[in-house]
Amino acid sequence: MNDFVIITDSNSDLNKELREKYDIADYIRGIIYFPDSDRSELIDLEWSLMTPDEYFSSMKEHKNLYKTAAPTIEEVTTVFEKYLKQGLDILSINISTGLSATVDTCRLVAKDLLEKYPGRKIIVIDTLRYSTSQALVTIDAAKKRLSGATLEETAAYCEEEKTKVHQIGTMDDMFFLAKSGRISNFKAFFGNMIGLNALADINDKGLSEVLARFKGKRDAHKAVIEYIKRTIVNPEEQTIFIAQSLRKEASEQLAKLVKEEIKPKEIIMNDVGMSCGANIGPGLTSVFYKGEKATPGLEKEKAIMEEISASIKK
């Protein structure tokens, strides 16, 4: 019998249904700050504050800049201690340290709590991933635990597998990419004007890198499917996620192509959550899956996309 629980954070976009399906005990909540006001709230993965469409529409229509912060020490302590009191150990699976201080906070709290609860164990995983890619790492851990793996074995498995999680999809509203400093404001404006779709994957450091840009969804989706075919491992055994932010029609089109061309075991449609969505903004449709480990600087992945781009743009 496993004597440890799996806990994630509000960046994982794992709603209640998915947490229950994979027996994810709990999550720690970051903070969201509302634009043009002093209002702040704990981030809720059940969207009790507003619907996804309301959230991303407010960003699209007004370019509202929501801001987020990592969970507080008090929040992490409350969640961790809830399970330590029950005599349970903890595997905490968290957003990339390249994007948030969540891992550092969790490790600081773990150090203090283990002095209070001698004999208990807490292992904190830096997934080097975020949003739905973080969700895949968390689900992987749950499946490993279900096989009978110990806390230590499950943690080691996460460390080995985490950079095998890839994303590829389209981003057609460049404003929030510019806001986060990933592209210039001029490129963002120009890209929006001519309908460019940026395609990105996650590198070995836990950050997204744009691999290519295509004009129009048709060519962009062709590139997405070809990229998945050339980077995925054992698709017939995989649960593939497709996440979107105010792009339901595009995500449904992409899901149809993935089902027909990739033929995974399962496809799960998901909304980008409030936490990561504050930086992503509206306009994302992305596929999340497992392949080989991301190469340093996405060197191999960039070469693959260059070949795909050259073929499509002939």
Side-chain angles (χ1 to χ4, degrees), residues 125-191:
I125 300 291
D126 173 5
T127 62
L128 297 178
R129 295 295 179 264
Y130 66 97
S131 188
T132 308
S133 56
Q134 179 185 339
L136 271 180
V137 177
T138 308
I139 288 168
D140 256 4
K143 291 178 177 178
K144 186 67 175 178
R145 180 184 58 178
L146 188 62
S147 74
T150 64
L151 170 64
E152 291 80 5
E153 290 168 341
T154 304
Y157 180 76
C158 287
E159 294 289 0
E160 175 64 23
E161 297 290 309
K162 63 188 183 184
T163 59
K164 294 180 181 179
V165 176
H166 292 262
Q167 72 169 51
I168 193 69
T170 61
M171 184 69 193
D172 59 29
D173 188 336
M174 307 295 182
F175 174 83
F176 290 90
L177 290 178
K179 185 204 77 169
S180 63
R182 296 177 185 176
I183 59 175
S184 70
N185 286 322
F186 173 78
K187 285 183 178 179
F189 175 77
F190 184 70

Side-chain angles (χ1 to χ4, degrees), residues 19-158:
R19 296 196 308 275
E20 289 180 347
K21 178 178 180 179
Y22 293 103
D23 193 20
I24 309 302
D26 214 332
Y27 68 99
I28 53 178
R29 301 182 181 193
I31 302 168
I32 187 162
Y33 297 91
F34 286 71
D36 302 322
S37 74
D38 295 327
R39 182 186 176 193
S40 65
E41 301 279 355
L42 290 177
I43 295 170
D44 186 346
L45 289 177
E46 277 61 72
W47 289 97
S48 62
L49 300 173
M50 65 181 80
T51 68
D53 282 359
E54 288 171 342
Y55 181 62
F56 289 110
S57 291
S58 73
M59 298 169 77
K60 178 179 176 60
E61 293 169 6
H62 307 293
K63 300 303 182 187
N64 283 343
L65 303 183
Y66 294 88
K67 295 181 179 180
T68 59
T72 64
I73 288 175
E74 291 76 19
E75 165 70 8
V76 177
T77 300
T78 298
V79 174
F80 280 8
E81 198 162 22
K82 174 181 176 181
Y83 298 96
L84 295 174
K85 286 179 178 178
Q86 299 174 40
L88 296 168
D89 296 330
I90 295 170
L91 179 62
S92 182
I93 302 179
N94 303 110
I95 186 173
S96 170
T97 49
L99 299 170
S100 171
T102 302
V103 166
D104 292 336
T105 302
C106 288
R107 286 175 176 163
L108 179 65
V109 170
K111 181 179 178 181
D112 289 341
L113 286 178
L114 290 178
E115 293 179 3
K116 184 176 179 180
Y117 295 90
R120 295 272 58 84
K121 300 174 185 176
I122 302 173
I123 298 179
V124 178
I125 300 291
D126 173 5
T127 62
L128 297 178
R129 295 295 179 264
Y130 66 97
S131 188
T132 308
S133 56
Q134 179 185 339
L136 271 180
V137 177
T138 308
I139 288 168
D140 256 4
K143 291 178 177 178
K144 186 67 175 178
R145 180 184 58 178
L146 188 62
S147 74
T150 64
L151 170 64
E152 291 80 5
E153 290 168 341
T154 304
Y157 180 76
C158 287

